[in-house]
Amino acid sequence: MKVRFWGVRGSIPVPGESTRRYGGNTTCIEIRTDADNLIVLDAGTGIYQLAQSLLKELPVHASLFITHTHWDHIQGLPFFLPLFIPGCSVQIRGAHDIVVGAGIERVMDVQMQYSYFPVREAELKARISYEDVRPGLPVTIGDATVTPVLLNHPVVNFGYRVECNGKSVFFTGDHEPHHNIYQPSEEGFAAYQQMVELRTAEIAAAIGPVDLLIADCSYTAEEYTAKIGWGHGSYDSSIEMAQSAGAKRLACTHHEPTRNDDALERVFAETMQRIGTAHGLQDIFLTREGLEITL
């Protein structure tokens, strides 16, 4: 199984000279199974470059899993060129939107309204299908199994565990560790803390053990204290998650868009120096566009 990163930034694309080393596109991950089935996780602006690379292997048959429908995870979807090409097929899976009461098909319907995009969905030439997925219910894609796991974000966000021939990868999408909304002196603290610990343990069990954990590491530990409730993790919280889940390697992604490459390397190095080598993982590293990992 091969994993390739096409977009690693969070919130908004920030391409340019200052992000050249790690890339400025938003989230998109390509997974190739041993039998060469194509699984795509999220459709941020990085999916455009993925689409360009796929034109040499037409017709394309892609299984796309959306973690959640915030713009930085779907805004590249109308530019996924196989959608326009006869003979291609794209299966789009994701969560049912409990707020508006609509399925994942809404992700295309809304973006491709004439008010926002010059081509209507009805004009696309590929065979397109939609499926709402549910937490804990696996989906079979050729020789691989993809299992959604409900994580913590201001909208419904699924992390996905992909398994193929004994190898595994888990991608969180956007995830903030559950935290206690009460102060220790308040009446509801103990009961709520039980819930936090239960959900944390359930997520760790659903993730791993896993060969590669790709996790939302938007903030430093210091930054996170001012951004509680925004729906994102930190380097520290993702390392703790990797340890609890029994992950072998941790790929830090969803890089904060205000950080250029130099700042990204600096805060990561400071974190690793503070944590030291006792974390127990084989490797912890920053994702970058074009990085390919074979499991």
Side-chain angles (χ1 to χ4, degrees):
M1 186 162 55
K2 292 183 178 180
V3 180
R4 182 164 183 171
F5 297 91
W6 293 94
V8 298
R9 293 281 169 175
S11 302
I12 190 171
V14 286
E17 288 298 321
S18 66
T19 58
R20 183 177 296 275
R21 292 198 300 280
Y22 290 91
N25 284 300
T26 61
T27 303
C28 180
I29 301 169
E30 173 190 6
I31 295 179
R32 293 284 184 155
T33 72
D34 295 345
D36 204 34
N37 293 294
L38 173 60
I39 298 171
V40 182
L41 305 179
D42 276 344
T45 57
I47 203 171
Y48 174 75
Q49 294 298 334
L50 167 59
Q52 295 293 316
S53 75
L54 294 174
L55 295 181
K56 63 181 182 295
E57 53 180 277
L58 297 174
V60 171
H61 303 289
S63 297
L64 171 60
F65 289 82
I66 303 294
T67 60
H68 65 295
T69 55
H70 282 163
W71 280 122
D72 53 328
H73 295 259
I74 65 169
Q75 64 196 125
L77 186 54
F79 299 91
F80 188 53
L81 297 180
L83 292 169
F84 296 82
I85 301 175
C88 294
S89 64
V90 182
Q91 297 172 308
I92 302 174
R93 295 179 173 89
H96 183 86
D97 191 329
I98 59 176
V99 175
V100 300
I104 193 60
E105 69 274 4
R106 187 171 180 268
V107 74
M108 288 288 281
D109 180 55
V110 171
Q111 287 194 92
M112 300 193 79
Q113 293 177 15
Y114 261 156
S115 299
Y116 309 115
F117 200 73
V119 181
R120 296 176 302 163
E121 184 180 0
E123 298 176 75
L124 299 177
K125 304 300 183 182
R127 186 170 68 256
I128 306 170
S129 61
Y130 302 93
E131 180 183 354
D132 293 349
V133 296
R134 297 183 180 182
L137 295 182
V139 178
T140 299
I141 307 295
D143 58 335
T145 300
V146 183
T147 305
V149 177
L150 183 64
L151 299 181
N152 186 39
H153 198 56
V155 296
V156 175
N157 177 91
F158 284 141
Y160 292 106
R161 178 181 169 91
V162 184
E163 300 174 79
C164 179
N165 295 327
K167 296 296 183 179
S168 56
V169 58
F170 189 96
F171 174 50
T172 67
D174 292 0
H175 173 67
E176 178 177 7
H178 288 84
H179 61 277
N180 200 322
I181 61 175
Y182 296 99
Q183 296 298 317
S185 59
E186 295 178 328
E187 183 178 347
F189 179 84
Y192 203 91
Q193 186 61 30
Q194 276 190 317
M195 184 276 292
V196 167
E197 293 173 3
L198 176 62
R199 283 296 297 131
T200 301
E202 289 174 342
I203 289 171
I207 290 174
V210 68
D211 292 296
L212 176 65
L213 172 61
I214 307 169
D216 174 0
C217 298
S218 295
Y219 306 129
T220 65
E222 294 75 18
E223 290 168 342
Y224 175 68
T225 59
K227 302 178 188 297
I228 294 174
W230 288 27
H232 298 289
S234 66
Y235 296 111
D236 290 66
S237 67
S238 293
I239 291 170
E240 184 175 343
M241 175 190 288
Q243 292 169 326
S244 299
K248 293 180 181 178
R249 306 172 70 190
L250 172 63
C252 301
T253 196
H254 204 273
H255 305 319
E256 164 63 36
T258 60
R259 269 195 260 281
N260 61 27
D261 288 337
D262 290 339
L264 181 61
E265 290 180 347
R266 184 179 67 254
V267 298
F268 179 71
E270 290 171 352
T271 298
M272 296 310 300
Q273 183 177 22
R274 174 172 50 80
I275 290 174
T277 58
H279 50 73
L281 278 66
Q282 293 180 5
D283 192 17
I284 303 174
F285 58 94
L286 295 171
T287 58
R288 57 175 174 79
E289 288 181 26
L291 174 64
E292 184 174 280
I293 298 171
T294 300
L295 299 176

